[in-house]
Amino acid sequence: MDDAPFTTIIEPFRIHSVEPLTMTTRAERQDHLRTAGYNLFQLRAQHVLIDLLTDSGTGAMSRDQWAAIQHGDESYAGSPSYYVFVDAVRELFPFEHVIPVHQGRAAEKILFSALGGAGKVVPNNTHFDTTRANVEASGASAVDLVIAEGRDPVSDHPFKGNMDLAALEALLAARADDVPCVMVTITNNSGGGQPVSLENLRGVREICDRYGKPLYLDACRFAENAWFIREREEGQGDRDVSDIVREISGLADGMTMSAKKDPMGNIGGWLAMNDDDLAQRCRNTLILTEGFPTYGGLAGRDLEALAQGLREVVQHDYLRYRIRSTAYLGEALVKLGVPVLTPIGGHAVYIDARALAPHLSPLEYPGQAVAVALYELGGIRSCEIGTVMFGRQADGTEQPASMELVRLAIPRRTYTQSHIDYVIEVCERLAAVAPSLPGYRITSEPPVLRHFTASFEPLR
Ligand code: F0G
C-alpha cells in the first residue's frame, strides 16, 4: 500500500521566473475585439489573460536551456553551437544532412522550392496550413489522405492521425510520376493533434519503397506522437521514447521541423535529409533566404537552447505530465457537455464548434463565433481551425471546411492547473451562451492565409 503510485500527476518542475498576467474587464475586451476586427491574431497579447492561441514558440524554457544560451557562439561560419545542435538532432533523427532554419515554414519553403512545381502532387495525412501554402506556392497541389476516422470528431480510434494507406496507394498507382515525395505529419495538428502509429508509418514506408518515393516527416510534435505510441500501440509500452523516435526517423528519408514545438524553443527549425544532391540544392536556397548553413537564420545561442530542449522533451516524466495535463482539460470539458474532439490530442483540446453552435452555418463561421466568445467571456485566446482557416479555395470561392474546430493549444510548461481550472470555468459559461452566439461575416481578407489578417463583423 505504502508503495502504491500516487494518482496526482504533478508538473515535474517548479517555477523559477514569473511573468505577470493582466486582468481586463468584459467591457474592455469588447473594445479590444472591435479594434482587432474580431480577429484574435490582431489582439495585443497583453490584453489576453490565458493565451491558448498556439503551443508554438510559447513554451517556458528550462534553467538548463537558459544556461545553454550562455554557451552560444555567434561565429558566422562553423560555430561550435551548430555542432552541439546537429549532434542533439542526430541523436534522435540520424539523417545525413541537418540544415537549421528560423522556423518550420522556412524548411517547407526550401524543400518544396526544390521538390514542388506545377503538375506535382504532395500527399500528407493532413497538411498544416503553412505546409499546404508552401506546396501550393510552388505550383504543386497538396492532398490530405488521413483515415476516415481522422475526419470524425468522435471516433475513438487510437491513431486518428494515420494515413489512409489504400488512398495513398491509389494516388501513387494513378500519378506516381507527379509525386515528388510523401509527407506524414506527427502528430496530425490540423486533425486534432492526433498521433500516427508505428504500424501505419511502416505501411507508408512500404508503399513509398514500392514506388521509389522519399518519405518526409513533418515532425513538430514527434515526442508527443512517440509517447502516444508507447501508451497505445501493442508491444511499445516498455520502450524508451527516444528509441521510438529513432525508429520513426529510420523509416523516413528526411524531415521538416518547427523547433518551436516539441524542441522547446521560442524560435527555430530544421530541414534534414539523406539525399546529398537535394541537400546541396536546399543549402543553396538557404544561403539566399536564411543564412549560412551553420546558422540558417538562427543565433548560435538559439541552437544551444534547442539542443538542450531536445534532451528534455523526450523525458518520460515530462511527457506523462504533458499528455495528462492536456487530457485533464479535455476530460473536464467532456464532463461539462462541451463537445470536443476525442480522443484528446497531445498539444491541444479542440472544441467542436459545429456541435456547440449548430444554429450557425459554416459560412457564418461557428469556430470564429466560439473563439471570439471565449475571449469576450474570459480573456482566453484560442484559434479557429475551420472554414475561416481552410474555406477559401485557390479559385477564390468558398467551401465549408470538413470540421469547425476551436483549438485550445497548451504552451509547454507555461500554465498551472489553476489556470486550466479557470479555462474550464469559462468554457462552462460559454456552453450556456452558445445557442445565442452571433455568426460572423468577413469584411476584408488577403488572398492567402486569410485567418491571420482578415477582419470580421458580427451578424447581429
Ligand atoms: N507543421 C505543423 C504540423 C505545424 O503545426 C506548424 C506550425 C508548422 C508546420 C510550421 O511551423 O510555425 O515554425 O513555421 N504550427 C503552429 C501552430 C503555428 O499554431 O500550430 P512554423
Side-chain angles (χ1 to χ4, degrees), residues 331-343:
E331 287 165 13
L333 297 194
V334 168
K335 213 180 264 174
L336 290 174
V338 177
V340 296
L341 200 148
T342 52

Side-chain angles (χ1 to χ4, degrees), residues 149-287:
E149 291 89 336
R151 299 178 202 267
D152 171 1
V154 293
S155 155
D156 63 359
H157 193 291
F159 292 101
K160 285 170 88 169
N162 280 355
M163 182 82 94
D164 181 335
L165 298 179
L168 178 64
E169 172 93 48
L171 175 73
L172 283 161
R175 300 188 58 182
D177 288 349
D178 299 332
V179 177
C181 68
V182 174
M183 279 200 98
V184 179
T185 304
I186 57 171
T187 58
N188 186 22
N189 181 13
S190 305
Q194 301 292 324
V196 179
S197 71
L198 259 183
E199 185 191 16
N200 188 256
L201 285 163
R202 291 190 194 111
V204 174
R205 173 77 262 167
E206 190 271 321
I207 294 171
C208 287
D209 281 344
R210 267 192 290 117
Y211 288 89
K213 298 298 171 189
L215 170 59
Y216 278 80
L217 302 169
D218 174 346
C220 304
R221 300 178 181 86
F222 69 94
E224 293 170 7
N225 199 102
W227 182 259
F228 281 122
I229 286 174
R230 187 179 190 273
E231 294 273 283
R232 295 182 184 171
E233 192 159 347
E234 210 177 314
Q236 303 300 320
D238 294 328
R239 286 183 77 182
D240 191 78
V241 160
S242 305
D243 215 43
I244 296 175
V245 175
R246 278 187 289 272
E247 180 173 348
I248 293 172
S249 49
L251 294 167
D253 300 284
M255 67 192 293
T256 58
M257 182 65 152
S258 169
K260 301 170 72 173
K261 283 85 171 176
D262 273 350
M264 306 278 195
N266 299 125
I267 195 70
W270 66 85
L271 172 62
M273 62 197 63
N274 289 327
D275 181 330
D276 298 337
D277 181 56
L278 178 64
Q280 189 53 47
R281 285 189 287 143
C282 289
R283 285 196 174 104
N284 292 341
T285 314
L286 182 88
I287 290 174

Side-chain angles (χ1 to χ4, degrees), residues 268-340:
W270 66 85
L271 172 62
M273 62 197 63
N274 289 327
D275 181 330
D276 298 337
D277 181 56
L278 178 64
Q280 189 53 47
R281 285 189 287 143
C282 289
R283 285 196 174 104
N284 292 341
T285 314
L286 182 88
I287 290 174
L288 284 178
T289 59
E290 293 281 293
F292 191 75
T294 59
Y295 73 85
L298 294 170
R301 56 179 170 269
D302 299 325
L303 295 168
E304 296 272 356
L306 295 178
Q308 177 59 25
L310 281 171
R311 289 189 277 274
E312 294 174 9
V313 76
V314 291
Q315 290 171 10
H316 289 193
D317 284 344
Y318 163 73
L319 283 167
R320 185 176 293 109
Y321 141 78
R322 168 73 175 160
I323 300 301
R324 180 62 213 138
S325 57
T326 306
Y328 173 83
L329 171 59
E331 287 165 13
L333 297 194
V334 168
K335 213 180 264 174
L336 290 174
V338 177
V340 296

